[in-house]
Amino acid sequence: MKNILESSFVKEVCATCSNMYRLGWDERNGGNISYLLNEEEVLEYVNPKEVIREIPLGFNAKELAGKYFIVTGTGKYFKNVEKNPEGNLGVIRISDCGCVAELLWGYNDGGKFTSELPAHLMSHMARLKVDPNNRVVTHCHPTNLLAMTYVLELSDKTFSKELWQMCTECIVVFPDGVNVLPWMLCGTNEIGIATAEKMLTARLVVWSQHGIYGAGKDLDETFGLIETAEKAAEIYMKIAHLPLVNTISDEAMHQLENHFGVKARGGYLD
């Protein structure tokens, strides 16, 4: 077996965790990442017959049976992932019954996957129905997106349009917009189900007064989605109390659609 610490997926997750912590999105043990791995690649680093232990999922993820994921651990600090990957990350396989995670590497201090894993796996299942190339789900706590949930109507359309109007690139980067949930208890199947439903129509889902879920084809795309939305939210929070003199009009956004070959979410533009 190759050294898993040299694998691209471990290195990428470590680098992403460090970047997210550096940006202030993942204070303490806030935030989590799950990354659907290519089976051929992961089997170069782990023996599928050597299951360290089985960890109940708390719901049935049979749609993902046999799939491999690298997942951040519960109670783990993103600032420590790069220094100690094996203690803070785990590679799991979803069992044939869909109700158990088979640990193949990691969590070497006896820990387990993030408490938000059910919400992650439900979001993976939803996004794979929309885009079979989706591989990443990321949850974090960007400051300005959280702040927006205190001062703006919790409407998918309202949130999306406000963010699109803050930066020219926004409608190009996330033309599907941003979906929003009201405050819900985290770490439950209920918030996972609600998030997955929202993931069917957008790759970004804001948890009011908590954080955001992002999904994408790889870690860079997912990070970039959240990064772009958070930059727009920062601008919004800086100008929300000021009289608005200029904005990006719907007409201008239609020009962006045509120029960049994207299509804004139906019914959101005049």
Side-chain angles (χ1 to χ4, degrees), residues 80-99:
N80 296 330
V81 173
E82 203 157 30
K83 293 182 290 186
N84 180 20
E86 194 170 3
N88 292 283
L89 303 174
V91 172
I92 63 171
R93 178 178 58 208
I94 307 302
S95 65
D96 290 341
C97 70
C99 55

Side-chain angles (χ1 to χ4, degrees), residues 39-208:
E39 183 174 4
E40 290 183 4
E41 181 181 17
V42 74
L43 292 185
E44 295 180 7
Y45 300 95
V46 299
N47 185 339
K49 296 180 181 179
E50 294 181 1
V51 176
I52 299 169
R53 51 194 161 94
E54 295 185 343
I55 310 171
L57 287 174
F59 85 110
N60 195 302
K62 194 169 180 61
E63 289 178 42
L64 298 171
K67 301 292 188 184
Y68 295 82
F69 293 85
I70 185 168
V71 185
T72 51
T74 185
K76 302 301 183 182
Y77 290 36
F78 269 28
K79 71 182 182 70
N80 296 330
V81 173
E82 203 157 30
K83 293 182 290 186
N84 180 20
E86 194 170 3
N88 292 283
L89 303 174
V91 172
I92 63 171
R93 178 178 58 208
I94 307 302
S95 65
D96 290 341
C97 70
C99 55
V100 168
E102 299 168 338
L103 179 63
L104 300 172
W105 173 83
Y107 309 143
N108 65 357
D109 59 357
K112 58 180 284 190
F113 48 72
T114 170
S115 62
E116 302 290 359
L117 185 61
H120 277 249
L121 295 180
M122 291 177 195
S123 291
H124 277 286
M125 290 188 284
R127 287 307 306 170
L128 287 168
K129 292 173 183 174
V130 179
D131 178 4
N133 294 312
N134 188 89
R135 297 179 68 188
V136 173
V137 171
T138 295
H139 169 58
C140 58
H141 306 157
T143 304
N144 294 285
L145 282 164
L146 264 72
M148 283 183 72
T149 67
Y150 288 89
V151 298
L152 192 63
E153 175 191 3
L154 301 180
S155 152
D156 299 342
K157 181 176 180 179
T158 301
F159 246 79
S160 298
K161 284 204 70 175
E162 290 290 354
L163 292 174
W164 284 346
Q165 288 176 331
M166 294 301 103
C167 297
T168 295
E169 68 173 349
C170 284
I171 199 168
V172 179
V173 174
F174 51 95
D176 45 349
V178 174
N179 286 340
V180 186
L181 288 174
W183 186 91
M184 297 179 70
L185 183 63
C186 57
T188 65
N189 287 353
E190 287 73 21
I191 198 170
I193 292 167
T195 303
E197 181 66 26
K198 292 285 190 179
M199 279 283 180
L200 292 171
T201 52
R203 294 165 294 159
L204 291 169
V205 179
V206 172
W207 285 6
S208 295

